[in-house]
Amino acid sequence: MLGKPNVEGLLEGALEHAASLLGGNVKGYAVLRKGQDTVSAVRGYPKTLLGLSLSGPWAQMRPRLLADGPKELYSMNTQDVVRQLDAAGMNEVSTTVIVPLVDKGRNVGALILDQFQSGGVSQNQQEALNRWGSAVTPLLSVFDTREEWRQGSRQLTIALVEAVESQDFDALGHAQQVADISGQLGRQLGLNERELEQLWYGAILHDVGKINGDQGHASIGANFLHAVPHLADAQKAIRHHHEHFDGSGEPDKLVGEDIPLYARIIAVANALVHVGDAARLKGQAGKNLDPRLVELAQKLPPRS
């Protein structure tokens, strides 16, 4: 369940095990209460539901068995939301089981399990599901704390970068643009969350060494992370983002795929921010830039 170490991964695993406790043809989704109730994970339903604000019969913080399909759920939402639920196939639900997620009296959310055949839910199954919900909920608090630290760390990093960029008015916002494009390229390559996190730090900090001037700033910037072992890949990306695919770059004249992947991604993103149009990168493919990443850059949405 912790193979995908984030809230969505935790809830996906929770839904998977809960469905196995019920057996049969079961789909499900998890709702978290963050101001509005929001679909935060799905099992069997399309991922287009993720992020959907949804009112539902889980607000009472108690286990429920709904034998009239989606009737109550549909009555609590707008027609626009109902159309989305219909498109996901919820209009064919036979029975719904609500498993509340309650932490120290606080309604965190719920696991919602939908049966598509009237197999029924035994008392033992309901009790097992409730125990499972009680076991899952404390883990959500761990991830909430982790996310708060993650966001705080990012905000402090952005503040540092903006302080460096403020020395040169033309550079304001440059690092954030490079980080955004790097993330898009990373997702096209199928990088996982941990890898995207390393890439983000490498991209957002790629020019931080310019606090001491432009000369040798890549190596200087990398030194900022020498005592942060969990960002070792980001450190390499910063050091090598001025290497050239043909070996003519710096500081180590690395060639081709000997250049760390994150550094090659940042180089393409950095070049795209400067030229503004991905088509203009084609002349650098195989020279300064990785040709495969230049090709991927052509698929990105046009920059406004």
Side-chain angles (χ1 to χ4, degrees):
M1 189 168 71
L2 297 178
K4 186 178 176 183
N6 56 25
V7 169
E8 183 184 350
L10 171 66
L11 291 172
E12 284 177 353
L15 287 167
E16 192 66 36
H17 182 68
S20 72
L21 293 174
L22 277 180
N25 184 10
V26 177
K27 295 182 181 180
Y29 55 100
V31 170
L32 291 183
R33 313 207 78 181
K34 295 183 177 180
Q36 291 181 306
D37 293 350
T38 303
V39 178
S40 300
V42 293
R43 179 199 186 268
Y45 286 123
K47 284 189 175 287
T48 52
L49 292 178
L50 292 174
L52 179 66
S53 294
L54 196 63
S55 299
W58 44 80
Q60 300 171 18
M61 294 196 303
R62 61 182 176 84
R64 296 190 65 194
L65 180 63
L66 309 177
D68 54 358
K71 182 177 179 181
E72 187 171 346
L73 173 66
Y74 277 31
S75 69
M76 300 175 71
N77 288 281
T78 65
Q79 285 302 307
D80 181 58
V81 169
V82 168
R83 281 192 289 271
Q84 294 181 68
L85 302 182
D86 276 346
M90 286 191 191
N91 55 331
E92 299 178 7
V93 170
S94 170
T95 305
T96 295
V97 183
I98 306 293
V99 182
L101 301 175
V102 180
D103 183 34
K104 299 175 182 177
R106 182 172 64 96
N107 189 355
V108 176
L111 304 178
I112 298 92
L113 302 160
D114 292 330
Q115 292 182 319
F116 288 78
Q117 297 169 345
S118 300
V121 180
S122 70
Q123 184 66 31
N124 286 340
Q125 286 175 317
Q126 184 72 68
E127 290 174 357
L129 287 168
N130 294 338
R131 286 195 298 270
W132 178 236
S134 298
V136 167
T137 308
L139 293 175
L140 290 171
S141 298
V142 172
F143 279 106
D144 279 345
T145 302
R146 176 185 170 186
E147 183 62 21
E148 288 173 5
W149 277 100
R150 177 177 175 271
Q151 290 300 326
S153 175
R154 283 193 168 215
Q155 289 164 3
L156 287 170
T157 302
I158 290 170
L160 168 64
V161 168
E162 288 178 345
V164 174
E165 289 180 337
S166 67
Q167 298 179 101
D168 178 359
F169 181 78
D170 291 337
L172 284 173
H174 171 76
Q176 188 63 63
Q177 293 179 69
V178 172
D180 289 344
I181 294 171
S182 295
Q184 292 177 56
L185 291 169
R187 282 185 284 275
Q188 284 198 55
L189 291 169
L191 299 186
N192 62 35
E193 183 185 13
R194 186 198 67 79
E195 293 166 333
L196 288 170
E197 187 82 350
Q198 292 272 344
L199 177 59
W200 185 87
Y201 274 100
I204 201 73
L205 291 169
H206 75 281
D207 277 346
V208 73
K210 287 185 177 181
I211 196 169
N212 286 338
D214 194 63
Q215 185 67 33
H217 73 268
S219 297
I220 293 169
N223 288 339
F224 276 85
L225 295 182
H226 78 278
V228 190
H230 69 280
L231 291 179
D233 289 333
Q235 181 186 28
K236 292 176 185 176
I238 296 167
R239 176 177 174 82
H240 295 294
H241 76 277
H242 281 310
E243 304 282 3
H244 292 168
F245 203 75
D246 63 5
S248 63
E250 57 180 34
D252 296 326
K253 307 287 185 188
L254 298 181
V255 178
E257 295 192 1
D258 288 340
I259 304 169
L261 174 61
Y262 302 163
R264 284 181 273 139
I265 293 172
I266 293 168
V268 170
N270 194 30
L272 181 52
V273 170
H274 282 297
V275 303
D277 181 359
R280 297 176 61 187
L281 298 180
K282 292 180 180 179
Q284 299 184 53
K287 299 175 183 177
N288 294 358
L289 304 176
D290 183 331
R292 179 174 64 128
L293 295 174
V294 169
E295 184 177 347
L296 285 180
Q298 312 305 307
K299 303 175 182 178
L300 297 179
R303 298 186 64 239
S304 57

